[in-house]
Amino acid sequence: MDDIRPNLPPTPTKFMDLFRVFIRSKQMAYRTEKTYCTWVVDFIRFHNMRHPREMGGTQLDEYLSHLAVKRNLSVNSQKTALNALVFMFKQFLKIEVGVLNFIPSSRPKTIPTVFSHEEALAVINQLQGTFKLMASIMYGSGLRRSEVSRLRIQDVDFANGCIIVRESKGMKWRRTLLPKSLIDQLKTQIDTALTLHSKDLEEGFGEVYLPNALHKKYKNAPTSPIWQYIFPATRRAKDPRSEKFRRHHIDESTLQKRVALAIKKACIMKKSGSHTFRHSFATNLLRAGTDIRSIQEMMGHNDLSTTQIYTHVVGIQERGVVSPMDS
């Protein structure tokens, strides 16, 4: 259960516990919580366990410069660290850090690796059953592995031909494509999930975790069919948040490992993984002439510049430029 937040003391006193409580009060995603806490802990250790209340902009500059000069981290990694620490200082501690003057990372941003359509299908065809369908959705709809793992029955809108991504990065909702070629398989998978749910109910279980304490507002929702995961785990497990036995979704790390093995079997000689399907979704839509703002909406990017990285992936050979050797 890699998306379950750890329990905190009823009355937290330690700095990191208090920081986690503050993050959760802002309804931020657990992935963000883990990332921010990792950088804050690293920052504190870098300054020899000095308390953050005793530090400010000078110490932040030193740390961020260290990440660029000594650790040679990428621009994106340094930016993530900056976001985490500024959030801690300004929002949690109410400390202004002033104008920062750190050394920016010199490691350039890299262009995402993508599969061609043939490569994507070659990888997908190395998978079996549930994992093959999950990989097909990542490629066909542009979902992250965490998003496809957490899809619930109500998230697939067959009537309108779309998938609604609710439990996404940044807790933003978005709509994306529902591939017509996957409709029958998805309906079969949903039937399988509902059959398993009925069995759980007969055995005295059948509750599923709901985000944002929705179980308090909608008492019957945890056992409602529409809230069940499309890709449920094979076994029930104790939920540490409530001590109840529940059926969670398939662990996204299991999907990641299956895709990595499939890439190896397909002999794809690229640095790639499950996230490559998402990059390939965007790139192949761009190749097909899809408007970039439509792609931005389906990908759930806040900033168009994030989506525009895919314009660099669509190579110059696709713009009509021919090598002199081939003239």
Side-chain angles (χ1 to χ4, degrees):
M1 296 185 182
D2 54 7
D3 60 345
I4 294 180
R5 302 174 192 263
N7 288 329
L8 296 173
T11 309
T13 55
K14 294 181 179 179
F15 178 80
M16 289 308 300
D17 287 344
L18 291 168
F19 185 52
R20 285 183 182 274
V21 169
F22 181 76
I23 290 174
R24 295 177 192 186
S25 72
K26 298 290 185 181
Q27 300 292 316
M28 298 169 74
Y30 180 41
R31 191 177 294 271
T32 303
E33 177 184 324
K34 289 191 288 186
T35 300
Y36 278 22
C37 288
T38 297
W39 285 115
V40 168
V41 168
D42 194 66
F43 173 74
I44 292 170
R45 287 174 177 165
F46 174 77
H47 287 292
N48 300 313
M49 308 307 289
R50 190 175 172 186
H51 198 286
R53 289 191 184 280
E54 301 173 359
M55 296 188 277
T58 301
Q59 290 73 27
L60 186 49
D61 279 337
E62 290 174 0
Y63 176 70
L64 293 171
S65 297
H66 167 77
L67 295 182
V69 177
K70 297 296 184 180
R71 295 196 198 173
N72 194 32
L73 293 189
S74 67
V75 173
N76 284 342
S77 294
Q78 189 186 46
K79 183 179 177 181
T80 303
L82 171 64
N83 291 341
L85 294 168
V86 168
F87 174 84
M88 177 195 69
F89 277 117
K90 296 184 72 172
Q91 295 202 42
F92 177 53
L93 297 177
K94 307 299 181 187
I95 294 174
E96 289 296 328
V97 295
V99 178
L100 297 175
N101 191 31
F102 58 89
I103 299 172
S105 173
S106 58
R107 268 187 60 187
K109 291 183 179 180
T110 57
I111 295 176
T113 301
V114 298
F115 295 132
S116 67
H117 179 63
E118 293 72 23
E119 288 173 331
L121 294 184
V123 175
I124 289 169
N125 288 330
Q126 292 295 330
L127 294 160
Q128 304 274 329
T130 301
F131 293 104
K132 184 174 183 178
L133 178 56
M134 294 175 82
S136 298
I137 294 171
M138 285 193 290
Y139 176 51
S141 305
L143 269 62
R144 302 174 177 90
R145 62 176 179 270
S146 60
E147 293 169 346
V148 72
S149 299
R150 299 175 198 177
L151 278 178
R152 300 180 191 254
I153 289 173
Q154 65 177 333
D155 296 338
V156 181
D157 188 343
F158 291 107
N160 290 304
C162 67
I163 292 176
I164 302 167
V165 186
R166 305 172 200 266
E167 297 179 49
S168 66
K169 185 177 180 181
M171 304 303 287
K172 301 183 295 290
W173 288 26
R174 72 180 193 275
R175 287 177 180 241
T176 186
L177 299 174
L178 169 60
K180 293 179 180 178
S181 59
L182 300 180
I183 288 176
D184 289 343
Q185 297 173 59
L186 262 171
K187 287 182 176 179
T188 300
Q189 178 60 34
I190 288 172
D191 287 342
T192 300
L194 288 175
T195 299
L196 193 58
H197 175 55
S198 295
K199 184 174 181 291
D200 286 342
L201 288 172
E202 289 172 4
E203 296 175 1
F205 300 96
E207 284 194 9
V208 71
Y209 166 73
L210 298 186
N212 304 322
L214 284 175
H215 64 282
K216 295 180 180 178
K217 186 175 181 180
Y218 305 106
K219 299 297 183 183
N220 296 324
T223 56
S224 171
I226 67 171
W227 281 102
Q228 304 309 307
Y229 291 115
I230 294 177
F231 301 106
T234 54
R235 293 181 296 178
R236 294 186 293 262
K238 182 184 284 189
D239 188 333
R241 294 163 292 201
S242 63
E243 299 297 313
K244 292 182 179 180
F245 275 87
R246 290 172 167 159
R247 192 176 297 278
H248 209 50
H249 56 70
I250 285 179
D251 194 309
E252 63 179 88
S253 64
T254 304
L255 173 60
Q256 183 180 22
K257 291 172 185 175
R258 295 292 183 98
V259 171
L261 184 59
I263 290 170
K264 186 176 181 180
K265 287 182 177 178
C267 299
I268 305 297
M269 302 300 178
K270 296 178 177 179
K271 185 180 179 182
S272 52
S274 56
H275 202 69
T276 308
F277 284 123
R278 177 170 160 84
H279 292 318
S280 305
F281 166 81
T283 305
N284 287 333
L285 284 180
L286 194 60
R287 285 185 177 124
T290 306
D291 175 71
I292 195 165
R293 290 201 176 273
S294 297
I295 298 173
Q296 177 191 6
E297 182 180 344
M298 288 185 283
M299 294 289 281
H301 292 155
N302 283 333
D303 195 330
L304 184 62
S305 63
T306 306
T307 315
Q308 285 175 330
I309 189 69
Y310 298 110
T311 62
H312 301 293
V313 180
V314 178
I316 56 173
Q317 74 278 8
E318 296 174 56
R319 301 174 203 160
V321 180
V322 180
S323 167
M325 284 294 294
D326 297 328
S327 299

